[in-house]
Amino acid sequence: MSLTFCIIFASACGVVLMRNPIHSALCLIVNLVAVAGIFAQLEAHFLAMVQIIVYAGAIMVLVVFVIMLLNAKQEEGSYSTWLIGLLAVVSGFIFVDMVGPLLSEGFPQSASATDPTVGTVEAIGRVLYTKYLFPFEAASILIMVGVVGALMLAKTDKGKQG
Amino acid sequence: MELLILAVKAFIVLHVALGLGAVCTWIERKGSALIQDRVGANRAGAYWYPSNPLLWPIAPFIRIAGMLGIINTLLNDAVKALLKEDFVPEGTSVFMHALGPFMAALPVFLAYAVVPLAPDFTIFGYHVQAQLVRIDTGLLFILAMGSLAVYGVVFAGWTGNNKFSLLGALRASAQMISYELAMGIVFVTLIIGYGTLDLYAIVESQQDGWGINPLVHPTGWLSFIILFIVGMAETKRGPFDMPESESELVAGYFTEYSGMKFLLFWLGEFAEIALFALIISLFFFGGWHIPFVELPEGMWWAALVGHGVLMAKVLFFCVLQIVIRWSLPRFRYDQLMSLGWKGLLPLSLLNVMVTAAIHI
């Protein structure tokens, strides 16, 4: 698992440090797939598959398309204003605050490692449709609103399109 | 020992994928010749009369293989591709250019890892699963690898650094993403019908081995037809080969590829054809089960027979896809899109609803 952590860390650095936007996007794909690997190693196979299908397979394709079609140029020069520096310091503190407990207490044992029924498709489906039914449905309505909004924005000439 | 079994299994699974790809290539080459009333490849190796007497015993076999076009397809083409100049277009990233074919072929071969190729068996006291990994979400793994395969096409088209490549990549990725929706929904139908995502359990529940499983029977045929059409569209072949239509786009997204990189696209494509034939025979046609025949459980020879039966079914569907590809004319691109979004997607949604209503 530590190898996967290394891949995640290296690719996350690559996303920020790469000059060419398509290489950044590539690093992000590697990162997302590696996160799926972490899920798989924690015996949460369903989550791992969904991570690949949704993030690496669908969302990143859109990102790559945007980069390719807008023909994003290689980044030149550097932004070294004081605002960027300030933001970097603040986000660094937030990161340490988030990761600190993990480092001091060690990694929490995953629930699925002790109880094999937690990460399965059946268990997730049952929980989604009973305990978390309202958030699940609310999220789906939110996505629906997004789709309808995108359609409204994309549809410019009302006369021609049926 | 466990590790050794795993290594042997990985070797076998990879070579099943490669072998099916090679056989499909040969069927395509000779089959297209038959369909178009040509002779096809029959020269390379057909006149091999070696001067060394030690080689005389194998010479007739080589000559027959040469006459059948096997030498041409499997040996000459590979060697030619390896020796060709590896051309990289100017002004593009060499790394991304090399990544394209790998990203196109790798997910297809990875998807073979979760596909069971024979029933479980016991040999020398070891219980062997004829499947590289048995995860409880095998169905989703195939879908995930299918969604990753888009990148190869996208990168290949982008690094081609010309308009034809980019247009081909756009067409291919839009086509793959559109048809993936229908494929996912067909998979939902299967999950409802079989009640599991484990591919081995799906095949084992078709014990009678006869046609479409009775569990999904009323809607099973519809699922099969949708999945077959989607499979042809996902492999970017048959009447769905707009991304590489030579009359419009030279060769589409792989216009700028030569040598082994080009061959890798080709191999990935044929391995994908075989993969779709494999999952269709596993999902709908009983996998390794023979109708009305009960093979004994756990015997190694039964596993071998089962594997042979499965491969026979797979080859049938490969041939069917190739025959369709060489007998139907190409769609128009808008026809393709309307078939995917207005035809197959609502049909498969309806299929899910009917199946769910039956299984409530």
Side-chain angles (χ1 to χ4, degrees), chain B residues 249-270:
Chain B
L249 295 177
V250 191
Y253 55 91
F254 52 70
T255 304
E256 296 290 347
Y257 282 90
S258 61
M260 203 59 205
K261 288 177 183 167
F262 173 74
L263 207 66
L264 209 53
F265 275 115
W266 202 238
L267 194 63
E269 190 175 307
F270 280 104

Side-chain angles (χ1 to χ4, degrees), chain B residues 39 59 122 142 186 222 268 285 293 298 307 314 352:
Chain B
V39 181
T122 314
I142 292 175
V186 169
L222 189 58
F285 294 94
V293 179
H307 183 66
V314 169
V352 168

